[in-house]
Amino acid sequence: MLYKIYMFSFIKKIARKLIRKSTYIHHESLNKVSLVILILIDIFVLFNVFSGLNNISQWIFNPSEEIPCFSTIENYYTATNKESFALKAATIENLINHNNFSHFNNQNKLGKVSKLCDNYLRLEKEINTPDNIEIKADIEQIRTEISNLNQEIQTLQSQYDSTLLEKIAGQTPQNSINQTTADQIKSEIDTKTNQISNKKQQILQKQTRLIQVPAADAYLKLLNNTSEYKQIKKAYQSAQFWYPNKQLLLQTLFLLPLIIGAYFWHKNATIKNQGLQALLSWHLLLIFCIPLLIKVFEFIQFGNLIRIAIESIVTLLGGLLFVSNYVLILIIPLLGFGLIKFLQRFVFNQRIQAKKRIEKIRCINCNSQLRLNDRFCHYCGFNQYTNCPNCNQKTYKLTNFCRVCGHQLEQN
């Protein structure tokens, strides 16, 4: 219970310091207009940081770009009947004008197409001849015509049904809403149905020509190579595994220069007592750290390496799935505790800050320049000294030892 109270008070103290550090210059609060401008700058920078993270994460080849032949092979192998004419024809048709490979090598991206797809690339280029492209265009045109005929048949069928109902009801042809008789409509439906049948036969003939092309035949035989399929599938799964890890690495490399630059700018501005620059650099430091924390927590929640580790633990414990929840519940607070300790040790450590300011004869509280042996700061009024409990001589606040007798001072 005491630990929880301590943690709550510490977090509250950190939040208060963050707010004060983010809204004050030389211990004076920003006016509302300046605060609004600062918030707008923060939003603009944060938006561009996330935009940059998105752009750099797309700089590397994703699994489909690295193994572009996998989707075609996977669709072929997962089909119910791999030997059917319809599947073979559809596979070859999808390759024509698909440009599955050609545009990837021209992009300024990190990575390259796997050599496992070289044979598929070569055969696809051989399949994409002007004659085959024209055949596919004819097939698509015929399919459009069939679709239009089917719509016409649906319209005629509704007219035919209404005409039959009128005939059953004994309505005379002169009072009918349709201009033609049921027999005439039936004849038109039959004619269009025959046209559809003929057009489907034309499609079959053209598809037969496509799959009889030597390159197409070689491509279909290559698809039936089980050992090559296993290699490609393994490579694709490996690419899927490493892709989010590579993304996190690139995003971290994108953010690190910004974080380091903002940190040293803030440090330098604080040392030189440049209030506005210190405030702006502090805001930038926070803005650059927030996306990094979000990406790290996303990686912990959804990353492959973490998932593999959790799955291994679950397997060792007999397949109890709820154990993964315990692991995540344990990991996140530990990381949060580590982050808090890091902030307490390096970012908000008043003793480290006080040591540097004492060495440069500056106010421990506001960093203003003092004269030697000044007891109070003439800018903020802060008392620089406290009495040593051992020798009762004055010594600097927030230091570890008395400057007179060397007695170790209280840490709190």
Side-chain angles (χ1 to χ4, degrees):
M1 185 66 182
L2 290 174
Y3 175 73
K4 289 182 179 179
I5 294 172
Y6 168 75
M7 286 296 293
F8 178 76
S9 62
F10 176 74
I11 292 171
K12 187 177 179 182
K13 182 180 178 182
I14 292 289
R16 192 185 303 115
K17 283 187 177 181
L18 280 172
I19 293 171
R20 184 174 181 83
K21 194 174 178 68
S22 303
T23 56
Y24 278 70
I25 299 178
H26 294 312
H27 303 278
E28 292 184 7
S29 62
L30 284 174
N31 59 71
K32 292 182 179 179
V33 176
S34 299
L35 188 60
V36 169
I37 292 172
L38 197 58
I39 291 171
L40 290 175
I41 292 172
D42 290 343
I43 294 171
F44 175 79
V45 173
L46 190 62
F47 174 81
N48 280 277
V49 168
F50 276 107
S51 178
L53 288 173
N54 181 62
N55 290 335
I56 200 168
S57 66
Q58 294 176 2
W59 186 36
I60 55 174
F61 272 26
N62 63 43
S64 296
E65 292 170 332
E66 188 177 341
I67 319 285
C69 56
F70 176 75
S71 59
T72 302
I73 302 170
E74 183 71 6
N75 291 336
Y76 186 82
Y77 264 85
T78 53
T80 53
N81 186 5
K82 293 195 287 290
E83 297 301 321
S84 68
F85 176 86
L87 177 61
K88 292 178 179 179
T91 301
I92 300 302
E93 275 189 64
N94 290 335
L95 294 176
I96 298 174
N97 274 345
H98 188 215
N99 292 329
N100 209 13
F101 307 91
S102 57
H103 66 284
F104 290 126
N105 293 326
N106 297 326
Q107 294 182 1
N108 296 321
K109 299 187 75 171
L110 190 63
K112 60 181 180 179
V113 176
S114 172
K115 291 184 178 295
L116 292 171
C117 290
D118 285 351
N119 289 331
Y120 296 89
L121 168 61
R122 176 180 56 81
L123 290 172
E124 182 177 342
K125 286 181 178 178
E126 292 178 10
I127 291 170
N128 273 274
T129 61
D131 289 342
N132 290 338
I133 292 172
E134 185 178 350
I135 291 172
K136 183 181 178 181
D138 292 341
I139 291 173
E140 290 176 347
Q141 177 61 35
I142 294 170
R143 285 191 177 126
T144 302
E145 293 172 2
I146 290 174
S147 177
N148 293 335
L149 286 171
N150 280 323
Q151 291 178 359
E152 292 174 8
I153 287 173
Q154 288 179 358
T155 303
L156 290 170
Q157 189 65 50
S158 62
Q159 293 177 1
Y160 178 73
D161 293 340
S162 64
T163 304
L164 280 180
L165 289 173
E166 289 173 356
K167 188 175 181 180
I168 293 170
Q171 188 170 332
T172 60
Q174 291 79 12
N175 295 326
S176 174
I177 60 173
N178 297 309
Q179 300 298 319
T180 55
T181 64
D183 293 338
Q184 290 174 328
I185 296 173
K186 184 68 170 62
S187 176
E188 285 186 50
I189 291 174
D190 292 340
T191 301
K192 294 184 182 299
T193 302
N194 290 332
Q195 289 176 357
I196 289 175
S197 179
N198 291 334
K199 290 182 180 297
K200 286 182 177 180
Q201 192 62 36
Q202 293 175 21
I203 289 176
L204 287 174
Q205 291 172 357
K206 292 182 180 295
Q207 286 177 333
T208 302
R209 286 177 58 190
L210 278 180
I211 65 174
Q212 286 178 347
V213 172
D217 183 60
Y219 192 93
L220 292 171
K221 288 179 180 177
L222 196 60
L223 287 177
N224 285 306
N225 189 328
T226 306
S227 62
E228 191 152 343
Y229 165 69
K230 289 180 179 178
Q231 287 182 0
I232 291 173
K233 186 172 184 178
K234 185 178 179 180
Y236 185 82
Q237 289 172 340
S238 176
Q240 270 190 320
F241 177 83
W242 289 110
Y243 180 62
N245 304 311
K246 291 176 182 177
Q247 281 186 309
L248 179 64
L249 176 62
L250 286 177
Q251 289 169 342
T252 303
L253 291 175
F254 173 80
L255 287 171
L256 277 180
L258 299 174
I259 293 171
I260 293 170
Y263 171 76
F264 282 106
W265 182 21
H266 177 69
K267 183 179 179 181
N268 184 61
T270 304
I271 291 172
K272 294 181 178 180
N273 204 28
Q274 297 170 332
L276 182 57
Q277 289 194 37
L279 181 65
L280 285 172
S281 57
W282 172 252
H283 274 254
L284 289 176
L285 186 59
L286 288 179
I287 291 299
F288 297 150
C289 287
I290 288 170
L292 181 60
L293 290 175
I294 292 172
K295 294 300 177 182
V296 169
F297 281 115
E298 279 182 0
F299 180 75
I300 292 169
Q301 183 71 29
F302 306 108
N304 288 326
L305 292 175
I306 302 297
R307 177 175 55 81
I308 292 294
I310 291 174
E311 286 176 357
S312 300
I313 294 171
V314 171
T315 303
L316 289 173
L317 295 176
L320 301 176
L321 294 177
F322 63 85
V323 174
S324 63
N325 299 105
Y326 280 122
V327 173
L328 287 174
I329 290 170
L330 178 65
I331 288 174
I332 300 299
L334 283 175
L335 285 174
F337 178 75
L339 179 62
I340 290 171
K341 293 297 289 184
F342 173 80
L343 291 172
Q344 187 180 21
R345 176 68 180 83
F346 296 103
V347 180
F348 297 106
N349 192 323
Q350 291 180 316
R351 293 183 179 276
I352 294 176
Q353 191 178 67
K355 177 184 175 183
K356 294 178 181 178
R357 291 178 177 178
I358 290 169
E359 290 172 353
K360 296 180 180 181
I361 316 176
R362 289 181 175 273
C363 173
I364 295 172
N365 184 51
C366 72
N367 199 36
S368 298
Q369 189 68 52
L370 301 177
R371 293 169 298 184
L372 191 63
N373 295 324
D374 274 352
R375 184 177 183 88
F376 293 94
C377 174
H378 46 277
Y379 286 101
C380 68
F382 183 77
N383 187 357
Q384 311 294 306
Y385 299 98
T386 185
N387 290 330
C388 172
N390 183 53
C391 67
N392 205 34
Q393 297 295 316
K394 67 176 184 178
T395 187
Y396 288 110
K397 289 182 177 178
L398 299 175
T399 53
N400 295 322
F401 299 93
C402 174
R403 67 173 185 164
V404 178
C405 68
H407 178 73
Q408 186 171 0
L409 304 174
E410 287 290 334
Q411 295 294 312
N412 294 324

